[in-house]
Amino acid sequence: MDIVFKDVEHRYHTNTPFERRALYNMNLSIASGSYVAIIGHTGSGKSTLLQHLNGLLQPTNGTVHIGDQIITNAKKPKHLKPLRKKVGIVFQFPEHQLFEETVEKDICFGPVNFGIPEEQAKKMARELLPLVGLPEEVLTKSPFELSGGQMRRVAIAGVLAMEPEVIVLDEPTAGLDPQGRKEIMEMFYRLHQEKKLTTILVTHSMEDAAKYADEIVVMHRGTVVKTGTPKEIFREPNTLLEIGLDVPETILFQKKLEEKFGVTIDSPCLTMEEIVEEAKKLFAKVRKNDE
Amino acid sequence: MNSMIIGKYVPGTSIVHRMDPRSKLIMVFFYVFIVFLANNVETYAVLMIFTFSLILLSRIPLSFIIRGLKPIFLVILFTFLLHLFMTKEGELLYRLGWFEIYEQGVKQGVFISLRFLSLIIVTTLLTLTTTPIEVTDGVESLLSPLKKFNMPIHELALMMSISLRFIPTLMEETDKIMKAQTARGVDFSGGSFQERIKAIVSLLVPLFINSFKRAEELATAMEARGYRGGEGRTKFRLLTWKTADTALIVSLILLAIILFILRS
Ligand SMILES: Nc1ncnc2c1ncn2[C@@H]1O[C@H](COP(=O)(O)OP(=O)(O)OP(=O)(O)O)[C@@H](O)[C@H]1O
Ligand SMILES: [Mg+2]
């Protein structure tokens, strides 16, 4: 399912003193099967953008195409259920949506709503647990007995159990420990590769964006200021730094190196290996010149 | 849900915004009784003029108030119809089978609706132009004489300010959870009875749990910052009674007198 935003604008509380433009001039296309990271300062409209992906919000102007479904500001579209099954959203702090008596029931809640038979949903819940890093014992526990991180994993499993074609992740690892973060991010990346799952990730971690995404969308104050591959985006770290965003540590290090030695390194280094390689080359050259 | 304005505060600098919360509270309190003085066309006209002057003074767009009160209009309509059909006095105006409309019915219906509308608008104006903190400060100050009789006024005011403070938070959270559950296939606007129950449970359980958690965190945070109750606690905002406040009370008394003279 390709996703295309055309001149999308979204205002909250239209026609009230509280009116507020959260998105404008949004043009964006996300190809089926790609991994897109959306980065942007807090309040730049990322979560608002995500809610357009399954019709939770309608644009106040412009159109959103998701597969063959078109969403505009015209009257509330009906029959959004099939769309919502295909686009699974893991919201910011998804643990707040848990409510069933047992973890198993909560994971099955989504799929059963979408008409998947209960037995099959239960089977899926069992299979998903190791994937999100939970032991099987938790199935019969109440979700509220779990730790925050474990609740997060249950919520994620609950969305994965819907077997969506597009998975939308709103800062899925905020507040998790570094190990847990890495596990979860790796898990999503594997799913993306194995099942060709279109993945849209909102993140404040530039490292994650650089590492996993095919394409990065930079948002600022409600609109897209830049899109491109991680290399393209991080080639000019200054644009990002100007709008208050971070860049990966390796890029910062590269910048320092370049300034110190008065050279330019052709391609931006996004991983530790790359930067080490470049630094080695540079030092070798410097040593040679010294001799 | 977002258009509902009862209990919301709209920032502004109008004369009504700047008034002392105590005068506004006194006004609203007595207005509730004064409204019942109206009983004929003239008195209701005066009431309406008073109501709309207040709206004008507050500089809050009328259209905003009307849109925000939409849910209330249904209730008003219902009351109107009830009076229209149930009152069987005066001249018979219309008949269709067993269905009869009397002159007094129309009159009563209109009057009661206007009374209701005026009450709602005036009380809504109070919250629209006064921050929750000001409201509680006002209440606490007005009720402080009762402290002599060992009434926990400070605690009551605190409870009130906390609940008022968390109404928007609760609304926001309701919106968020509804969206999260909608994304998981819940349909909040339709479905069978059982599906509806399930939908409501999927909203209420997280809402309650989060509220309890928040209450606990709030209590801890207050204790950590040295809150020990009202005894000897000074105020950050001091209330000042101004000329406008006296003017408001005087106009309220005038309103009562005028209504008393004009009523039949
Ligand atoms: N329900 C709402 N009602 C009114 N305004 C809102 C609402 N949700 C978001 N906004 C406003 O829209 C703007 C964009 O908010 P959004 O939540 O999309 O930002 P974000 O990029 O996701 O930020 P964060 O990184 O903090 O999650 C903000 O200015 C916010 O105040
Ligand atoms: Mg957000």
Side-chain angles (χ1 to χ4, degrees), chain B residues 198-256:
Chain B
K198 187 88 189 178
I200 291 173
V201 170
S202 79
L203 169 65
L204 287 187
V205 171
L207 208 55
F208 270 103
I209 287 183
N210 293 345
S211 302
F212 283 125
K213 251 192 226 149
R214 201 166 27 234
E216 221 175 287
E217 280 164 14
L218 185 67
T220 316
M222 281 170 68
E223 243 175 83
R225 291 162 73 180
Y227 179 81
R228 293 168 282 111
E231 210 55 51
R233 199 174 158 79
T234 53
K235 287 250 177 265
F236 173 56
R237 271 167 295 264
L238 293 175
L239 302 174
T240 48
W241 190 274
K242 293 178 284 286
T243 328
D245 299 299
T246 314
L248 183 70
I249 301 303
V250 170
S251 61
L252 188 73
I253 296 171
L254 280 179
L255 176 74

Short mmCIF file of all heavy atoms in Angstrom, two decimals, chain B residues 198-256:
data_model
loop_
_atom_site.label_atom_id
_atom_site.label_comp_id
_atom_site.label_asym_id
_atom_site.label_seq_id
_atom_site.Cartn_x
_atom_site.Cartn_y
_atom_site.Cartn_z
N LYS B 198 -18.47 -3.45 25.34
CA LYS B 198 -17.05 -3.75 25.26
C LYS B 198 -16.25 -2.48 24.92
O LYS B 198 -15.19 -2.22 25.50
CB LYS B 198 -16.82 -4.80 24.16
CG LYS B 198 -15.41 -5.33 24.08
CD LYS B 198 -15.24 -6.52 24.99
CE LYS B 198 -13.78 -6.90 25.07
NZ LYS B 198 -13.55 -8.00 25.96
N ALA B 199 -16.78 -1.68 24.02
CA ALA B 199 -16.10 -0.45 23.62
C ALA B 199 -15.95 0.47 24.82
O ALA B 199 -14.88 1.02 25.07
CB ALA B 199 -16.89 0.24 22.51
N ILE B 200 -17.04 0.58 25.61
CA ILE B 200 -16.98 1.49 26.76
C ILE B 200 -16.01 0.97 27.81
O ILE B 200 -15.23 1.72 28.39
CB ILE B 200 -18.40 1.68 27.34
CG1 ILE B 200 -19.23 2.48 26.34
CG2 ILE B 200 -18.34 2.39 28.67
CD1 ILE B 200 -20.67 2.62 26.68
N VAL B 201 -16.02 -0.36 28.01
CA VAL B 201 -15.07 -0.94 28.97
C VAL B 201 -13.63 -0.65 28.54
O VAL B 201 -12.79 -0.26 29.35
CB VAL B 201 -15.29 -2.46 29.10
CG1 VAL B 201 -14.17 -3.10 29.90
CG2 VAL B 201 -16.62 -2.73 29.78
N SER B 202 -13.38 -0.78 27.24
CA SER B 202 -12.01 -0.58 26.75
C SER B 202 -11.57 0.86 26.90
O SER B 202 -10.39 1.17 26.86
CB SER B 202 -11.88 -1.01 25.29
OG SER B 202 -12.40 -0.02 24.44
N LEU B 203 -12.53 1.76 27.11
CA LEU B 203 -12.19 3.16 27.34
C LEU B 203 -12.08 3.45 28.84
O LEU B 203 -11.13 4.08 29.30
CB LEU B 203 -13.27 4.05 26.71
CG LEU B 203 -13.23 5.53 27.07
CD1 LEU B 203 -11.96 6.17 26.54
CD2 LEU B 203 -14.44 6.25 26.53
N LEU B 204 -13.07 2.95 29.60
CA LEU B 204 -13.14 3.33 31.01
C LEU B 204 -12.03 2.70 31.85
O LEU B 204 -11.48 3.36 32.73
CB LEU B 204 -14.51 2.95 31.59
CG LEU B 204 -15.65 3.84 31.12
CD1 LEU B 204 -16.92 3.51 31.86
CD2 LEU B 204 -15.30 5.32 31.32
N VAL B 205 -11.70 1.45 31.58
CA VAL B 205 -10.68 0.81 32.42
C VAL B 205 -9.35 1.56 32.37
O VAL B 205 -8.84 1.96 33.40
CB VAL B 205 -10.51 -0.69 32.04
CG1 VAL B 205 -9.31 -1.29 32.75
CG2 VAL B 205 -11.77 -1.45 32.39
N PRO B 206 -8.80 1.82 31.17
CA PRO B 206 -7.54 2.58 31.16
C PRO B 206 -7.69 3.98 31.76
O PRO B 206 -6.82 4.46 32.46
CB PRO B 206 -7.19 2.70 29.67
CG PRO B 206 -8.00 1.69 28.98
CD PRO B 206 -9.21 1.43 29.82
N LEU B 207 -8.86 4.58 31.55
CA LEU B 207 -9.09 5.93 32.05
C LEU B 207 -9.02 5.95 33.58
O LEU B 207 -8.36 6.79 34.19
CB LEU B 207 -10.46 6.40 31.58
CG LEU B 207 -10.65 7.88 31.39
CD1 LEU B 207 -9.60 8.45 30.46
CD2 LEU B 207 -12.03 8.16 30.84
N PHE B 208 -9.70 4.98 34.21
CA PHE B 208 -9.70 4.91 35.67
C PHE B 208 -8.30 4.62 36.20
O PHE B 208 -7.81 5.26 37.12
CB PHE B 208 -10.68 3.84 36.16
CG PHE B 208 -12.05 4.38 36.38
CD1 PHE B 208 -13.06 4.14 35.47
CD2 PHE B 208 -12.32 5.15 37.49
CE1 PHE B 208 -14.33 4.66 35.66
CE2 PHE B 208 -13.58 5.68 37.69
CZ PHE B 208 -14.59 5.43 36.77
N ILE B 209 -7.68 3.63 35.59
CA ILE B 209 -6.36 3.24 36.09
C ILE B 209 -5.39 4.40 36.00
O ILE B 209 -4.66 4.69 36.95
CB ILE B 209 -5.87 2.00 35.31
CG1 ILE B 209 -6.70 0.82 35.80
CG2 ILE B 209 -4.38 1.77 35.52
CD1 ILE B 209 -6.33 -0.48 35.22
N ASN B 210 -5.41 5.10 34.88
CA ASN B 210 -4.51 6.24 34.74
C ASN B 210 -4.83 7.34 35.74
O ASN B 210 -3.94 7.99 36.27
CB ASN B 210 -4.56 6.81 33.32
CG ASN B 210 -4.01 5.83 32.31
OD1 ASN B 210 -3.34 4.87 32.68
ND2 ASN B 210 -4.28 6.06 31.04
N SER B 211 -6.12 7.54 36.01
CA SER B 211 -6.50 8.58 36.96
C SER B 211 -6.01 8.26 38.36
O SER B 211 -5.50 9.12 39.07
CB SER B 211 -8.01 8.77 37.00
OG SER B 211 -8.48 9.09 35.73
N PHE B 212 -6.18 7.00 38.77
CA PHE B 212 -5.70 6.61 40.10
C PHE B 212 -4.20 6.80 40.21
O PHE B 212 -3.68 7.31 41.19
CB PHE B 212 -6.07 5.16 40.40
CG PHE B 212 -7.51 5.00 40.79
CD1 PHE B 212 -8.34 4.12 40.11
CD2 PHE B 212 -8.04 5.76 41.81
CE1 PHE B 212 -9.67 3.99 40.45
CE2 PHE B 212 -9.37 5.65 42.17
CZ PHE B 212 -10.19 4.75 41.48
N LYS B 213 -3.52 6.37 39.16
CA LYS B 213 -2.06 6.53 39.15
C LYS B 213 -1.69 7.99 39.29
O LYS B 213 -0.82 8.36 40.06
CB LYS B 213 -1.51 6.00 37.82
CG LYS B 213 -0.74 4.70 37.97
CD LYS B 213 0.02 4.41 36.69
CE LYS B 213 -0.18 2.97 36.28
NZ LYS B 213 -0.15 2.78 34.84
N ARG B 214 -2.40 8.82 38.53
CA ARG B 214 -2.06 10.24 38.55
C ARG B 214 -2.34 10.84 39.92
O ARG B 214 -1.56 11.63 40.43
CB ARG B 214 -2.86 10.98 37.48
CG ARG B 214 -2.20 12.27 37.12
CD ARG B 214 -2.72 12.88 35.87
NE ARG B 214 -4.06 12.51 35.60
CZ ARG B 214 -4.47 11.98 34.47
NH1 ARG B 214 -3.61 11.79 33.49
NH2 ARG B 214 -5.71 11.64 34.29
N ALA B 215 -3.45 10.43 40.54
CA ALA B 215 -3.78 10.96 41.86
C ALA B 215 -2.67 10.62 42.85
O ALA B 215 -2.25 11.46 43.64
CB ALA B 215 -5.11 10.37 42.32
N GLU B 216 -2.19 9.40 42.77
CA GLU B 216 -1.14 8.98 43.68
C GLU B 216 0.13 9.80 43.44
O GLU B 216 0.75 10.28 44.38
CB GLU B 216 -0.86 7.51 43.43
CG GLU B 216 -0.65 6.71 44.69
CD GLU B 216 -0.50 5.24 44.33
OE1 GLU B 216 -1.55 4.65 43.99
OE2 GLU B 216 0.62 4.73 44.38
N GLU B 217 0.48 9.95 42.17
CA GLU B 217 1.68 10.71 41.85
C GLU B 217 1.56 12.16 42.31
O GLU B 217 2.51 12.74 42.84
CB GLU B 217 1.93 10.69 40.33
CG GLU B 217 2.60 9.41 39.88
CD GLU B 217 2.49 9.22 38.37
OE1 GLU B 217 2.15 10.18 37.66
OE2 GLU B 217 2.75 8.09 37.92
N LEU B 218 0.37 12.71 42.13
CA LEU B 218 0.15 14.11 42.52
C LEU B 218 0.33 14.26 44.03
O LEU B 218 1.00 15.17 44.50
CB LEU B 218 -1.25 14.53 42.11
CG LEU B 218 -1.59 15.98 42.33
CD1 LEU B 218 -0.75 16.85 41.41
CD2 LEU B 218 -3.06 16.23 42.08
N ALA B 219 -0.25 13.33 44.78
CA ALA B 219 -0.14 13.38 46.24
C ALA B 219 1.32 13.31 46.65
O ALA B 219 1.78 14.09 47.49
CB ALA B 219 -0.93 12.25 46.87
N THR B 220 2.05 12.40 46.05
CA THR B 220 3.47 12.25 46.38
C THR B 220 4.22 13.54 46.05
O THR B 220 5.03 14.03 46.85
CB THR B 220 4.09 11.09 45.58
OG1 THR B 220 3.19 10.00 45.63
CG2 THR B 220 5.43 10.70 46.17
N ALA B 221 3.93 14.08 44.87
CA ALA B 221 4.64 15.28 44.45
C ALA B 221 4.35 16.44 45.39
O ALA B 221 5.25 17.20 45.75
CB ALA B 221 4.23 15.65 43.02
N MET B 222 3.09 16.55 45.83
CA MET B 222 2.75 17.65 46.74
C MET B 222 3.46 17.50 48.07
O MET B 222 3.97 18.46 48.63
CB MET B 222 1.24 17.69 46.95
CG MET B 222 0.51 18.33 45.78
SD MET B 222 -1.26 18.14 45.87
CE MET B 222 -1.66 19.15 47.28
N GLU B 223 3.50 16.27 48.56
CA GLU B 223 4.18 16.04 49.83
C GLU B 223 5.66 16.33 49.71
O GLU B 223 6.27 16.93 50.57
CB GLU B 223 3.95 14.59 50.27
CG GLU B 223 3.19 14.51 51.56
CD GLU B 223 2.87 13.09 51.90
OE1 GLU B 223 3.74 12.40 52.46
OE2 GLU B 223 1.77 12.67 51.54
N ALA B 224 6.23 15.89 48.57
CA ALA B 224 7.65 16.09 48.36
C ALA B 224 7.99 17.58 48.32
O ALA B 224 9.10 17.98 48.65
CB ALA B 224 8.09 15.42 47.06
N ARG B 225 7.01 18.39 47.93
CA ARG B 225 7.29 19.82 47.88
C ARG B 225 6.82 20.53 49.13
O ARG B 225 6.69 21.76 49.15
CB ARG B 225 6.64 20.42 46.63
CG ARG B 225 7.35 19.92 45.39
CD ARG B 225 6.53 20.12 44.16
NE ARG B 225 6.48 21.53 43.77
CZ ARG B 225 5.82 21.95 42.71
NH1 ARG B 225 5.17 21.11 41.95
NH2 ARG B 225 5.82 23.22 42.40
N GLY B 226 6.54 19.76 50.16
CA GLY B 226 6.32 20.35 51.47
C GLY B 226 4.90 20.81 51.76
O GLY B 226 4.67 21.60 52.65
N TYR B 227 3.93 20.29 51.04
CA TYR B 227 2.54 20.68 51.31
C TYR B 227 2.07 20.03 52.60
O TYR B 227 2.23 18.82 52.79
CB TYR B 227 1.66 20.26 50.14
CG TYR B 227 0.21 20.59 50.35
CD1 TYR B 227 -0.24 21.88 50.11
CD2 TYR B 227 -0.69 19.64 50.80
CE1 TYR B 227 -1.56 22.20 50.32
CE2 TYR B 227 -2.01 19.95 51.01
CZ TYR B 227 -2.44 21.24 50.77
OH TYR B 227 -3.75 21.55 50.98
N ARG B 228 1.50 20.84 53.50
CA ARG B 228 1.05 20.28 54.77
C ARG B 228 -0.36 20.71 55.10
O ARG B 228 -0.75 20.78 56.25
CB ARG B 228 1.95 20.76 55.92
CG ARG B 228 3.35 20.28 55.91
CD ARG B 228 4.17 21.07 56.93
NE ARG B 228 4.53 22.39 56.43
CZ ARG B 228 4.05 23.53 56.88
NH1 ARG B 228 3.17 23.54 57.83
NH2 ARG B 228 4.43 24.68 56.36
N GLY B 229 -1.14 21.10 54.12
CA GLY B 229 -2.49 21.54 54.41
C GLY B 229 -2.55 23.05 54.52
O GLY B 229 -1.54 23.74 54.34
N GLY B 230 -3.73 23.56 54.81
CA GLY B 230 -3.98 25.00 54.70
C GLY B 230 -3.45 25.85 55.84
O GLY B 230 -3.26 27.05 55.68
N GLU B 231 -3.19 25.25 57.01
CA GLU B 231 -2.81 26.02 58.20
C GLU B 231 -1.59 26.91 57.94
O GLU B 231 -0.51 26.41 57.61
CB GLU B 231 -2.50 25.04 59.35
CG GLU B 231 -2.80 25.59 60.72
CD GLU B 231 -4.24 26.10 60.84
OE1 GLU B 231 -5.19 25.35 60.50
OE2 GLU B 231 -4.39 27.25 61.27
N GLY B 232 -1.77 28.20 58.03
CA GLY B 232 -0.65 29.13 57.91
C GLY B 232 -0.11 29.29 56.51
O GLY B 232 0.95 29.88 56.30
N ARG B 233 -0.82 28.78 55.53
CA ARG B 233 -0.35 28.86 54.16
C ARG B 233 -0.69 30.23 53.58
O ARG B 233 -1.82 30.68 53.68
CB ARG B 233 -1.05 27.77 53.35
CG ARG B 233 -0.37 27.43 52.07
CD ARG B 233 -1.09 26.25 51.44
NE ARG B 233 -0.83 26.20 50.02
CZ ARG B 233 0.29 25.73 49.51
NH1 ARG B 233 1.22 25.23 50.29
NH2 ARG B 233 0.47 25.73 48.22
N THR B 234 0.29 30.91 53.00
CA THR B 234 0.01 32.21 52.41
C THR B 234 -0.36 32.04 50.95
O THR B 234 -0.17 30.98 50.37
CB THR B 234 1.23 33.14 52.51
OG1 THR B 234 2.34 32.45 51.95
CG2 THR B 234 1.50 33.53 53.94
N LYS B 235 -0.89 33.11 50.37
CA LYS B 235 -1.37 33.03 48.99
C LYS B 235 -0.39 33.70 48.04
O LYS B 235 0.19 34.73 48.36
CB LYS B 235 -2.72 33.75 48.88
CG LYS B 235 -3.83 32.97 49.53
CD LYS B 235 -4.75 32.43 48.46
CE LYS B 235 -5.83 31.58 49.06
NZ LYS B 235 -5.53 30.16 49.07
N PHE B 236 -0.27 33.11 46.88
CA PHE B 236 0.58 33.69 45.84
C PHE B 236 -0.19 34.82 45.14
O PHE B 236 0.32 35.89 44.89
CB PHE B 236 0.98 32.60 44.86
CG PHE B 236 1.72 33.09 43.66
CD1 PHE B 236 2.88 33.84 43.80
CD2 PHE B 236 1.27 32.82 42.38
CE1 PHE B 236 3.57 34.28 42.71
CE2 PHE B 236 1.95 33.27 41.28
CZ PHE B 236 3.10 34.00 41.45
N ARG B 237 -1.46 34.54 44.84
CA ARG B 237 -2.31 35.55 44.20
C ARG B 237 -3.23 36.14 45.26
O ARG B 237 -3.95 35.40 45.92
CB ARG B 237 -3.18 34.89 43.12
CG ARG B 237 -2.54 34.84 41.76
CD ARG B 237 -3.34 33.89 40.90
NE ARG B 237 -3.22 32.54 41.45
CZ ARG B 237 -2.34 31.67 41.00
NH1 ARG B 237 -1.59 31.95 39.98
NH2 ARG B 237 -2.22 30.48 41.56
N LEU B 238 -3.20 37.44 45.39
CA LEU B 238 -4.13 38.07 46.32
C LEU B 238 -5.31 38.63 45.54
O LEU B 238 -5.14 39.17 44.46
CB LEU B 238 -3.41 39.20 47.07
CG LEU B 238 -2.31 38.70 48.01
CD1 LEU B 238 -1.57 39.87 48.63
CD2 LEU B 238 -2.90 37.81 49.11
N LEU B 239 -6.49 38.43 46.10
CA LEU B 239 -7.69 38.92 45.42
C LEU B 239 -7.89 40.40 45.74
O LEU B 239 -7.70 40.81 46.88
CB LEU B 239 -8.90 38.12 45.88
CG LEU B 239 -8.80 36.61 45.65
CD1 LEU B 239 -9.99 35.90 46.26
CD2 LEU B 239 -8.71 36.31 44.17
N THR B 240 -8.24 41.18 44.73
CA THR B 240 -8.51 42.60 44.99
C THR B 240 -9.88 42.98 44.45
O THR B 240 -10.19 42.69 43.29
CB THR B 240 -7.47 43.52 44.31
OG1 THR B 240 -7.32 43.08 42.95
CG2 THR B 240 -6.13 43.48 45.01
N TRP B 241 -10.66 43.58 45.30
CA TRP B 241 -12.01 44.01 44.93
C TRP B 241 -11.91 45.37 44.27
O TRP B 241 -11.37 46.29 44.84
CB TRP B 241 -12.88 44.05 46.19
CG TRP B 241 -14.32 44.23 45.89
CD1 TRP B 241 -14.96 45.42 45.71
CD2 TRP B 241 -15.28 43.21 45.74
NE1 TRP B 241 -16.28 45.21 45.44
CE2 TRP B 241 -16.51 43.86 45.46
CE3 TRP B 241 -15.26 41.82 45.80
CZ2 TRP B 241 -17.69 43.15 45.24
CZ3 TRP B 241 -16.43 41.12 45.59
CH2 TRP B 241 -17.64 41.77 45.31
N LYS B 242 -12.41 45.48 43.03
CA LYS B 242 -12.27 46.74 42.29
C LYS B 242 -13.63 47.40 42.06
O LYS B 242 -14.67 46.82 42.38
CB LYS B 242 -11.56 46.47 40.96
CG LYS B 242 -10.11 46.01 41.15
CD LYS B 242 -9.40 45.70 39.85
CE LYS B 242 -9.79 44.37 39.24
NZ LYS B 242 -9.26 43.17 39.87
N THR B 243 -13.60 48.56 41.45
CA THR B 243 -14.85 49.27 41.18
C THR B 243 -15.77 48.44 40.30
O THR B 243 -16.98 48.38 40.52
CB THR B 243 -14.56 50.60 40.42
OG1 THR B 243 -13.31 51.07 40.85
CG2 THR B 243 -15.65 51.61 40.68
N ALA B 244 -15.19 47.77 39.30
CA ALA B 244 -15.99 46.96 38.39
C ALA B 244 -16.77 45.89 39.16
O ALA B 244 -17.90 45.56 38.81
CB ALA B 244 -15.09 46.30 37.35
N ASP B 245 -16.15 45.37 40.22
CA ASP B 245 -16.82 44.33 41.00
C ASP B 245 -18.02 44.88 41.73
O ASP B 245 -19.09 44.28 41.75
CB ASP B 245 -15.81 43.73 41.99
CG ASP B 245 -14.65 43.10 41.26
OD1 ASP B 245 -14.89 42.17 40.49
OD2 ASP B 245 -13.51 43.57 41.45
N THR B 246 -17.83 46.06 42.32
CA THR B 246 -18.96 46.71 42.98
C THR B 246 -20.05 46.98 41.95
O THR B 246 -21.23 46.73 42.20
CB THR B 246 -18.50 48.03 43.62
OG1 THR B 246 -17.29 47.78 44.33
CG2 THR B 246 -19.55 48.57 44.57
N ALA B 247 -19.63 47.44 40.77
CA ALA B 247 -20.59 47.75 39.72
C ALA B 247 -21.40 46.51 39.35
O ALA B 247 -22.62 46.57 39.16
CB ALA B 247 -19.87 48.29 38.49
N LEU B 248 -20.73 45.37 39.28
CA LEU B 248 -21.42 44.13 38.92
C LEU B 248 -22.49 43.81 39.95
O LEU B 248 -23.63 43.47 39.61
CB LEU B 248 -20.41 42.98 38.82
CG LEU B 248 -21.00 41.65 38.39
CD1 LEU B 248 -21.42 41.71 36.93
CD2 LEU B 248 -20.02 40.51 38.60
N ILE B 249 -22.13 43.90 41.21
CA ILE B 249 -23.08 43.57 42.28
C ILE B 249 -24.24 44.56 42.26
O ILE B 249 -25.41 44.17 42.39
CB ILE B 249 -22.38 43.58 43.66
CG1 ILE B 249 -21.23 42.58 43.67
CG2 ILE B 249 -23.38 43.25 44.76
CD1 ILE B 249 -21.61 41.16 43.36
N VAL B 250 -23.93 45.84 42.06
CA VAL B 250 -24.98 46.85 42.01
C VAL B 250 -25.93 46.56 40.85
O VAL B 250 -27.16 46.59 41.00
CB VAL B 250 -24.38 48.27 41.86
CG1 VAL B 250 -25.48 49.29 41.56
CG2 VAL B 250 -23.66 48.65 43.14
N SER B 251 -25.37 46.20 39.68
CA SER B 251 -26.24 45.93 38.54
C SER B 251 -27.10 44.69 38.78
O SER B 251 -28.23 44.61 38.31
CB SER B 251 -25.43 45.81 37.25
OG SER B 251 -24.53 44.75 37.35
N LEU B 252 -26.55 43.77 39.54
CA LEU B 252 -27.34 42.58 39.87
C LEU B 252 -28.53 42.96 40.74
O LEU B 252 -29.66 42.50 40.54
CB LEU B 252 -26.45 41.56 40.59
CG LEU B 252 -27.09 40.21 40.81
CD1 LEU B 252 -27.17 39.45 39.51
CD2 LEU B 252 -26.32 39.40 41.84
N ILE B 253 -28.27 43.84 41.74
CA ILE B 253 -29.35 44.29 42.61
C ILE B 253 -30.39 45.06 41.79
O ILE B 253 -31.60 44.84 41.93
CB ILE B 253 -28.79 45.19 43.74
CG1 ILE B 253 -27.86 44.34 44.62
CG2 ILE B 253 -29.91 45.79 44.58
CD1 ILE B 253 -27.08 45.13 45.64
N LEU B 254 -29.89 45.90 40.88
CA LEU B 254 -30.81 46.64 40.01
C LEU B 254 -31.67 45.69 39.20
O LEU B 254 -32.88 45.88 39.07
CB LEU B 254 -30.01 47.55 39.07
CG LEU B 254 -29.51 48.86 39.68
CD1 LEU B 254 -28.72 49.66 38.66
CD2 LEU B 254 -30.71 49.68 40.20
N LEU B 255 -31.02 44.66 38.66
CA LEU B 255 -31.75 43.67 37.87
C LEU B 255 -32.87 43.07 38.69
O LEU B 255 -34.02 42.96 38.23
CB LEU B 255 -30.80 42.57 37.39
CG LEU B 255 -31.46 41.43 36.63
CD1 LEU B 255 -31.84 41.87 35.23
CD2 LEU B 255 -30.55 40.21 36.56
N ALA B 256 -32.55 42.71 39.93
CA ALA B 256 -33.55 42.10 40.79
C ALA B 256 -34.71 43.06 41.02
O ALA B 256 -35.87 42.66 40.95
CB ALA B 256 -32.91 41.70 42.12
#
